Amino acid sequence: MLILGKVQGKTLQVEKEDGLFTYYLDDEKIGVWDPKVLMDRILYLQQFKENDSIKDEIKDIIEQTPEETLINMPEQLKNQEIEELKQVLKLSDKEKVKQVSLVNLQEKLKEEDKPDKERDNEQEKEGKDKKDESEVVNLPANNRLTIKQEAKLNKKVNDVKTLGQVLQREGLIPQDGKDYVTLGVVEASDLNQLADEQGKKHENLTTRYAMVAIATDGTMTKLDVPMDYGEGNNPGEINPLVKRNGEVEQDTVLSQFRVGKGAISIGNGGPGGEIELFYTSQKTRGTEGIEGNKTGVQTQITTSQVYDMEIEERRLNAEYEGMYHSDEKQKEAQMHEDCEETKLEDVNGDLSDSSHHDCVYTENEIITSTGETMSFREIATKWGYIDENGQPDAERAKEKFTEEWERDSERKPEDVVEEVEEEFAEQMPQHGRII
């Protein structure tokens, strides 16, 4: 084994076998890494119940160890053994150990005592076994696809539940006795390389990406998550995507899947084109001018490149919010569609905590500094703007408000309404109502 370092008094070491790396803390097996499958350098075993602090230390040591060191482990082990032997033999820096060989003397003596014919038969069998093993290794490995992105199932996606629990609730986690710990994103065109329990190959999807569940042993199983046909096979609708830096981007996604009342979306808008995943707990219901069955505001899922959600982000998909929360979020997001910068608080459905007041009016109303709304029809009544039919002239009120706001946008929206109302009150004794 190759020793990587010390963690809280225990030795962290790794063993390589058939391309799979197994990590140990002293003699306890704690995790594995398959470079062909996993992006993370360690996938912890379920039975490893150590606290998070020790896991952080382990992860730091592993990430600080160059990947080449593990890939070239035999050479590294030889160097490690030589250094240890030099210390035992107390050799000086000028003295060198050229080679180290480990021999089990008892096995060696038994081997020497065997008849020549028996040794020859065993060597022939060993050669055949190695040949067979080589042939097996060269075959396409079942349940092995290139993972484009990973998301841990134990990471929360709302204020209560983890990604795994959300999928489990909808019956989307495979029930085959394996311990699934990671969601993986793969090319949908590669699905026919995977087989189900009966050995039947999966059919490719018509979308760009698909999702698989990855177990602790590294095997993959296709997630039978229904495609969100309400958005089409390749969703092209622009939706608000809440990124982990707190910024909100209006963008499209490449693949979308229906998860209960909500959805999981996959796109490649990350820095350098990294794959990103997004989640919404419920789609729009269709109220107050909002179109129904739309994805609306989505929150970024924690992946190997994206750190954990803050509580404010998880609350966007709050487990016990009302059934129209998605409409409220989408309505506020639409109010900020034309803004140069939009933040999380501008798409949470709460108008009272907007990050700015650049976008305080919509087609039919304004938003006050306290988050309340006031229609232009109400404003027209306050200002005495009456049309030829004797009704409040909302369009004229909107034009006047826009003009006043652009003249001095540092004022509160309600102050603009009040100032113009005062001007109207001053004119009333002289001119009556304004037409």
Side-chain angles (χ1 to χ4, degrees):
M1 291 189 188
L2 179 65
I3 297 175
L4 302 179
K6 288 282 186 180
V7 181
Q8 298 185 11
K10 297 182 179 181
T11 301
L12 177 63
Q13 45 197 344
V14 61
E15 181 179 46
K16 180 182 179 183
E17 184 176 1
D18 297 331
L20 182 68
F21 297 87
T22 305
Y23 294 96
Y24 295 85
L25 203 54
D26 281 348
D27 296 327
E28 180 186 8
K29 183 178 178 180
I30 63 171
V32 296
W33 176 46
D34 186 345
K36 296 179 181 179
V37 177
L38 303 174
M39 298 182 67
D40 279 358
R41 297 276 290 279
I42 182 171
L43 178 65
Y44 290 106
L45 300 183
Q46 181 67 20
Q47 60 267 30
F48 181 59
K49 299 294 186 180
E50 297 288 349
N51 56 51
D52 290 338
S53 64
I54 196 170
K55 287 183 178 180
D56 290 340
E57 291 185 43
I58 292 170
K59 183 178 179 182
D60 289 342
I61 292 176
I62 292 174
E63 290 183 346
Q64 290 172 13
T65 303
E67 190 171 322
E68 295 76 13
T69 299
L70 300 185
I71 301 300
N72 303 320
M73 186 177 292
E75 185 67 25
Q76 298 298 327
L77 279 172
K78 185 178 79 171
N79 295 337
Q80 181 175 294
E81 291 164 354
I82 290 175
E83 288 303 315
E84 291 175 353
L85 187 57
K86 284 176 65 177
Q87 293 180 13
V88 172
L89 299 177
K90 298 181 179 179
L91 300 179
S92 67
D93 293 337
K94 294 181 180 180
E95 297 174 296
K96 296 182 178 179
V97 178
K98 292 185 177 180
Q99 184 175 350
V100 176
S101 296
L102 299 178
V103 179
N104 186 320
L105 294 180
Q106 289 185 345
E107 293 297 328
K108 183 67 175 176
L109 290 173
K110 289 180 183 179
E111 182 71 21
E112 294 297 333
D113 290 340
K114 290 180 181 179
D116 292 344
K117 185 175 181 180
E118 184 178 346
R119 285 204 307 271
D120 291 343
N121 289 339
E122 288 184 355
Q123 290 174 357
E124 182 179 350
K125 182 178 183 300
E126 182 180 350
K128 182 178 182 301
D129 289 344
K130 286 184 177 179
K131 180 181 179 182
D132 292 343
E133 180 182 349
S134 176
E135 289 174 353
V136 171
V137 169
N138 289 331
L139 289 174
N142 187 29
N143 290 340
R144 291 288 191 276
L145 295 180
T146 300
I147 298 297
K148 300 292 185 179
Q149 186 56 277
E150 294 178 358
K152 299 298 183 183
L153 296 179
N154 63 355
K155 298 297 184 182
K156 283 190 173 182
V157 292
N158 63 28
D159 57 338
V160 176
K161 287 185 167 52
T162 64
L163 175 60
Q165 290 170 332
V166 167
L167 294 172
Q168 184 73 50
R169 179 173 57 190
E170 305 303 328
L172 299 173
I173 297 294
Q175 300 297 312
D176 54 8
K178 293 188 177 182
D179 184 14
Y180 290 99
V181 293
T182 305
L183 180 150
V185 176
V186 299
E187 293 282 353
S189 59
D190 291 342
L191 282 178
N192 57 12
Q193 299 178 37
L194 282 183
D196 59 20
E197 295 179 356
Q198 288 72 42
K200 183 180 178 181
K201 297 291 185 180
H202 289 291
E203 294 183 2
N204 294 337
L205 299 180
T206 56
T207 187
R208 172 67 186 276
Y209 295 113
M211 296 185 291
V212 297
I214 305 174
T216 51
D217 62 1
T219 58
M220 302 179 191
T221 303
K222 174 181 175 290
L223 282 182
D224 290 323
V225 185
M227 291 176 59
D228 194 349
Y229 290 105
E231 299 279 353
N233 290 351
N234 292 288
E237 182 175 349
I238 295 177
N239 285 309
L241 304 177
V242 182
K243 298 296 188 77
R244 193 50 42 82
N245 59 6
E247 300 293 335
V248 179
E249 296 182 7
Q250 299 281 344
D251 208 346
T252 59
V253 294
L254 298 176
S255 302
Q256 189 157 293
F257 302 88
R258 194 68 186 254
V259 179
K261 296 178 181 179
I264 288 179
S265 303
I266 305 172
N268 59 356
E274 288 97 345
I275 302 299
E276 296 179 316
L277 289 89
F278 298 90
Y279 171 70
T280 183
S281 58
Q282 55 177 241
K283 305 193 76 178
T284 59
R285 298 301 182 100
T287 60
E288 299 181 353
I290 301 299
E291 188 177 353
N293 197 36
K294 295 302 178 184
T295 308
V297 178
Q298 302 175 73
T299 307
Q300 192 166 14
I301 296 174
T302 301
T303 65
S304 50
Q305 273 98 30
V306 178
Y307 50 84
D308 291 357
M309 288 184 182
E310 298 290 344
I311 184 62
E312 290 79 7
E313 294 173 80
R314 299 203 301 267
R315 285 173 179 160
L316 287 181
N317 292 307
E319 186 77 7
Y320 300 108
E321 282 284 358
M323 62 185 296
Y324 296 110
H325 187 219
S326 57
D327 293 47
E328 295 164 357
K329 292 185 296 183
Q330 182 68 0
K331 180 180 179 181
E332 185 180 11
Q334 289 181 356
M335 293 178 178
H336 294 270
E337 279 183 353
D338 297 326
C339 299
E340 293 184 2
E341 185 178 87
T342 308
K343 295 185 177 295
L344 181 149
E345 52 264 41
D346 303 319
V347 296
N348 63 3
D350 183 358
L351 300 178
S352 66
D353 62 354
S354 177
S355 69
H356 59 286
H357 296 288
D358 298 18
C359 313
V360 294
Y361 56 92
T362 65
E363 184 67 27
N364 301 311
E365 61 191 10
I366 70 168
I367 309 168
T368 70
S369 61
T370 59
E372 299 174 356
T373 59
M374 186 184 302
S375 70
F376 285 114
R377 182 181 176 85
E378 293 178 72
I379 295 172
T381 302
K382 287 178 176 289
W383 290 352
Y385 287 178
I386 306 299
D387 62 20
E388 57 187 11
N389 297 317
Q391 299 297 318
D393 194 340
E395 188 60 33
R396 184 180 176 190
K398 181 180 178 181
E399 291 176 1
K400 176 63 174 177
F401 177 86
T402 303
E403 177 185 335
E404 290 293 325
W405 179 258
E406 290 177 351
R407 183 173 61 82
D408 182 7
S409 60
E410 295 298 320
R411 294 173 293 175
K412 294 179 180 179
E414 60 268 32
D415 290 345
V416 174
V417 175
E418 185 178 345
E419 289 169 10
V420 177
E421 186 178 0
E422 289 175 355
E423 292 177 6
F424 168 71
E426 292 175 358
Q427 297 174 20
M428 274 292 291
Q430 300 176 1
H431 304 290
R433 71 178 187 179
I434 300 175
I435 300 177

